[in-house]
Amino acid sequence: MTAVESDSGVLAGEQRMLIDGELVGAAGGAVFDVEHPASEEVAGQCADGTVEDMARAVSAARRAFDAGEWSRDVQFRFHCLMQLHDALDRHKEHLRRVLVTEVGCPVTVTGSQIEDPISEVKHWAEYGRDFDYLVDTGLHNTALGPARRKLHHEPVGVVGAITPWNVPFYLNIAETVPALMAGNTVVLKPAQLTPWSGSELGRIVAEETDIPAGVFNVVTSNANEVGAALSADPGVDMITFTGSTATGRAILAAGASTVKKTLLELGGKSAHIVLDDADFNSSLPLAAMMACVMSGQSCILPSRILLPRSRYDEGLAVLKASMENFPMGDPWTPGNMQGPQISATQRQKVLGLIESGLASGARLVTGGGVPESLPVGYYVQPTLLADVDPDSTIAQEEIFGPVLTVTPYDGDDEAIAIANNTIYGLSGEVSSADVDRAFAVATRMRTGNVTINGKSHFGIDSPFGGTKQSGLGYRNGTQGYQEYLHIKTIGMPE
Ligand code: NAD
């Protein structure tokens, strides 16, 4: 497929899907438009896959898994995934331009979305090659005498991977590569707004690796029902999903009748507890930056800032100054750190939530609307809302925009209670001059992961998973790899 290039850097991605080793259009030939959020223009099209296309992809993956070679030959998988790593590395500038085109994220901040996932392909290839798939646990006493037990780690089977639009290339890799390296076969269903980060991966797998037909499939579609079909298909053994909590619930229900293993990384509404001894000049500018980079479209963003009442005005002033000076604009211009929201709908949702916050008594400190200097593109001003009621909608629902809400508290116990007062539990942050005190607070937060004084909890070597309604299971670390393996315990004579 010919790539469309323009002076701005906009680059149309691969239109075709990958099904059973072939790069193909949708069954009826339909395509849908992909928009560049900074120009509001259509950048190109992608195949609008159907439920029928999805069924073909699942049967190809089923056949490829049941044939057994892929699931049994770890050295071959290593070879193929290293080929994939090298091919992605060769095409990384192309992939970066496709990513900026469909997401609108600033080119300056794409390192964690391009270089990092490409290096993670190599990480998982090496990790999976060296993994101990057979563990002898020795002799165990049983009623019938001693029995040796061996733990055989086997792939789960056909894995359906469903991804969201906010960090699409990163999540396409994070959801599929460890699954493939563990010996599973995969059907990837990328998000409607970002199909090319998935279809480009499919093209590279088809054209530049020895991954056999059916082992990796990509079905793009503009219809939610195609993702729903994947999550209900009896030929699928496991769903790995990243997206909203509402969709996660639907996927869990859809998989219930066939008891699918389900790995869910869902929404968040994380709190940043700023303790009264914290260095505001280091913690709060960083908090403001995290809210604006990626236009706030980050699941782990600590968007609820909890400030001690004794230093409330001081904290608001630092946050206000940091948000007002944030470099925002055309994502192709180096140096800009905040781009547009991904779509008109998303921008409207963010603006609507800001309105609801103001209606519930919050005070607008800065921002609150569309920047006058950027009339084209789905931009939202960095927005700071103070005096936010912890029970109000703006404090309870994921905003996914460059918005921080601030709530005052009295004493650590109240801060922890407010932090824990949502259905979510994905991430969180604590700032304090006393790391032991911050650690004690972190352990009382009912959330999956916590950052102390800006030191990130997130990395390929550490398990990442949500608690409460933010998810089930883990990505990354040993636990993240083992999600894609079933442990078969084999009892045998000495
Ligand atoms: P979404 O839930 O609307 O869509 C995610 C994917 O699910 C898309 O591919 C979509 O087509 C598909 N889908 C929609 N309905 C479906 C159904 N009924 N059955 C099966 N699949 C279906 O999420 P989004 O708007 O694309 O992404 C934003 C959300 O993702 C936010 O809630 C964010 O917090 C979350 N997220 C979480 C993490 C994490 O690691 N926890 C990371 C990134 C994003």
Side-chain angles (χ1 to χ4, degrees), residues 163-361:
T163 52
W165 48 260
N166 64 329
V167 277
F169 182 72
Y170 170 79
L171 283 167
N172 289 340
I173 295 290
E175 287 201 11
T176 64
V177 170
L180 287 168
M181 191 58 212
N184 302 279
T185 60
V186 170
V187 179
L188 169 66
K189 211 300 286 173
Q192 288 90 323
L193 293 171
T194 53
W196 290 331
S197 290
S199 58
E200 287 288 341
L201 188 56
R203 179 182 63 78
I204 289 170
V205 164
E207 293 180 346
E208 301 190 35
T209 76
D210 296 331
I211 294 177
V215 166
F216 183 67
N217 306 269
V218 182
V219 179
T220 54
S221 174
N222 199 25
N224 283 339
E225 67 185 25
V226 174
L230 178 62
S231 60
D233 197 306
V236 173
D237 299 293
M238 172 178 178
I239 292 288
T240 175
F241 171 75
T242 307
S244 64
T245 295
T247 306
R249 291 186 196 114
I251 286 173
L252 208 48
S257 64
T258 50
V259 196
K260 285 193 203 327
K261 181 167 185 181
T262 310
L263 170 53
L264 301 175
E265 297 294 351
L266 308 177
K269 188 70 186 173
S270 302
H272 180 169
I273 300 179
V274 184
L275 294 176
D276 54 13
D277 60 355
D279 176 359
F280 283 14
N281 288 322
S282 70
S283 59
L284 296 181
L286 191 60
M289 186 181 95
M290 297 309 287
C292 299
V293 168
M294 292 174 60
S295 313
Q297 299 172 143
S298 160
C299 56
I300 55 175
L301 172 68
S303 60
R304 295 184 293 141
I305 307 285
L306 309 185
L307 286 179
R309 200 178 298 276
S310 57
R311 297 180 66 192
Y312 190 58
D313 291 342
E314 179 193 347
L316 285 177
V318 178
L319 286 169
K320 178 174 187 287
S322 308
M323 294 187 96
E324 286 179 345
N325 290 319
F326 204 76
M328 171 172 55
D330 185 357
W332 300 102
T333 305
N336 279 340
M337 304 262 285
Q338 181 186 335
Q341 308 310 120
I342 197 165
S343 68
T345 307
Q346 278 301 121
R347 176 166 72 177
Q348 206 39 54
K349 183 185 157 216
V350 173
L351 294 173
L353 278 164
I354 294 171
E355 282 290 308
S356 98
L358 296 174
S360 66

Side-chain angles (χ1 to χ4, degrees), residues 1 13-19 24-34 44-56 188-196 199 218-227:
M1 204 68 13
E14 173 59 55
Q15 273 200 20
R16 296 166 298 177
M17 309 183 288
L18 174 62
I19 299 179
V24 294
V31 294
F32 66 104
D33 290 340
V34 182
Q45 284 78 32
C46 199
D48 195 2
T50 62
V51 168
E52 187 187 314
D53 292 315
M54 182 55 82
R56 276 203 313 123
L188 169 66
K189 211 300 286 173
Q192 288 90 323
L193 293 171
T194 53
W196 290 331
S199 58
V218 182
V219 179
T220 54
S221 174
N222 199 25
N224 283 339
E225 67 185 25
V226 174

Side-chain angles (χ1 to χ4, degrees), residues 25-42:
V31 294
F32 66 104
D33 290 340
V34 182
E35 197 181 6
H36 179 41
S39 66
E40 305 183 21
E41 287 171 354
V42 173

